[in-house]
Amino acid sequence: MKMKNLKKLLALSLAFVLAIGVSACGSSTKDGGSDTSASGKEVYRTLDEIKKDGTINIGVFSDKNPFGYVDENGEYQGYDVYFADRLAKDLGVKVNYVSTEAANRIEYLQTGKVDVILANFTVTEERAEEVDFANPYMNVSLGVVSRDDNVITSLDNWNKDDSIIVISGTTAETYLTKNYPDIPLQKFDSYATAKEAFENGTSVAWANDNTEVIAFSLQNKGYTVGIPELGSADSIAPAVTKGNDTLLNWINDEITSLGEENFFHADYEATLADTYGMDYEDSLVVEGGKTE
């Protein structure tokens, strides 16, 4: 009996040691970042790891013209993409574009699917608890677009039978849920499906970044932005995984350096001027990370 008990004790001890070893091995990824599933820490690649690999993974929209979209040749284009190309060039690496939707932006950073998000990402206090934002490169506020035969100029005294279209995971969804909880929301995962639904008349209005709804009204006859500014003005900025300080600091230095050459005004003129004209340039562009 004593021998059997000793064998059981040794077997249990060995199993315990092996369990600890497996747990420890699962706490890191092949590129040195932490594995959220094992350790609860964020997954990311440092600046040096990205340089060593020779490729940076950048999350952008593929269906939000003129900020991030895929053209008829299958190439990524737009304001965010113009900026991303320059980041990769100055870092000395190739860029791998990862198509993202609004609701996936934080997840893609936290799971290490991308190194940087450049997908018209509005800075908010809630998001800043989950990702690290670099300095801004654009100003934005919310806006509401509606049809010419029923222009929405106010959200007060709303008809409870009407709904507003929003994109899941955007500041428009958050703002309306908090400030106008009685307004029914139609939520879509992508800009393409939201645009199609709005054009098909499923809702009386579409709330989104004012840059998006202004662009929609300019490109589509029969629509008016009756509310060009809803709530407070915000900033658009790159985002990296929480704690990835080496990459964050490099991007901030890069934005400062690019500001010295008026890079973001050049970006606007190359990618946004055809949509918005020149009247919006100085109000939308943030040069060198300085919002004032």
Side-chain angles (χ1 to χ4, degrees), residues 1-258:
M1 292 293 294
K2 290 183 178 180
M3 181 62 69
K4 289 182 179 180
N5 288 338
L6 178 60
K7 289 181 178 179
K8 288 181 179 180
L9 180 60
L10 290 172
L12 288 172
S13 299
L14 178 60
F16 179 72
V17 170
L18 289 174
I20 292 177
V22 170
S23 176
C25 291
S27 65
S28 63
T29 65
K30 64 182 180 179
D31 37 40
S34 304
D35 186 345
T36 54
S37 63
S39 68
K41 296 180 180 179
E42 307 287 6
V43 179
Y44 61 79
R45 298 189 302 164
T46 65
L47 182 67
D48 286 342
E49 288 169 336
I50 293 170
K51 288 181 177 179
K52 182 178 180 180
D53 180 67
T55 300
I56 186 168
N57 301 313
I58 300 182
V60 296
F61 287 127
S62 61
D63 62 354
K64 191 177 181 182
N65 188 350
F67 296 96
Y69 65 98
V70 177
D71 65 16
E72 63 275 9
N73 298 316
E75 300 292 332
Y76 279 92
Q77 304 289 351
Y79 186 75
D80 291 338
V81 176
Y82 189 100
F83 178 27
D85 283 342
R86 180 61 182 270
L87 285 181
K89 177 183 177 181
D90 289 352
L91 190 56
V93 298
K94 296 180 180 179
V95 59
N96 172 46
Y97 285 115
V98 179
S99 176
T100 185
E101 296 174 352
N104 296 334
R105 291 175 293 194
I106 292 175
E107 174 194 344
Y108 278 17
L109 284 172
Q110 292 179 333
T111 57
K113 190 168 185 176
V114 299
D115 302 303
V116 183
I117 285 289
L118 283 179
N120 232 215
F121 211 6
T122 304
V123 179
T124 68
E125 291 181 1
E126 293 78 12
R127 288 171 176 169
E129 293 178 357
E130 300 188 80
V131 301
D132 283 338
F133 284 104
N135 292 331
Y137 61 96
M138 193 171 191
N139 291 316
V140 70
S141 61
L142 297 178
V144 178
V145 61
S146 48
R147 292 171 187 80
D148 286 349
D149 58 2
N150 183 27
V151 178
I152 305 299
T153 59
S154 173
L155 299 185
D156 299 327
N157 302 315
W158 189 263
N159 183 344
K160 64 180 181 180
D161 295 327
D162 293 332
S163 63
I164 294 181
I165 287 175
V166 296
I167 311 296
S168 298
T170 61
T171 50
E173 178 192 13
T174 303
Y175 179 85
L176 291 174
T177 300
K178 179 180 179 180
N179 295 282
Y180 294 92
D182 295 331
I183 295 181
L185 302 179
Q186 271 198 305
K187 303 178 183 181
F188 295 89
D189 290 333
S190 72
Y191 288 88
T193 55
K195 178 177 180 289
E196 181 180 5
F198 185 47
E199 290 175 332
N200 289 335
T202 62
S203 294
V204 301
W206 180 12
N208 208 335
D209 290 351
N210 62 351
T211 51
E212 177 71 15
V213 296
I214 290 171
F216 179 86
S217 68
L218 292 173
Q219 295 169 350
N220 298 273
K221 293 182 179 180
Y223 298 91
T224 297
V225 179
I227 306 177
E229 293 185 1
L230 181 66
S232 60
D234 294 302
S235 298
I236 300 293
V240 302
T241 310
K242 199 75 175 175
N244 195 355
D245 295 337
T246 57
L247 182 57
L248 179 69
N249 292 337
W250 183 86
I251 292 175
N252 280 334
D253 289 342
E254 175 76 351
I255 289 174
T256 299
S257 177
L258 292 176

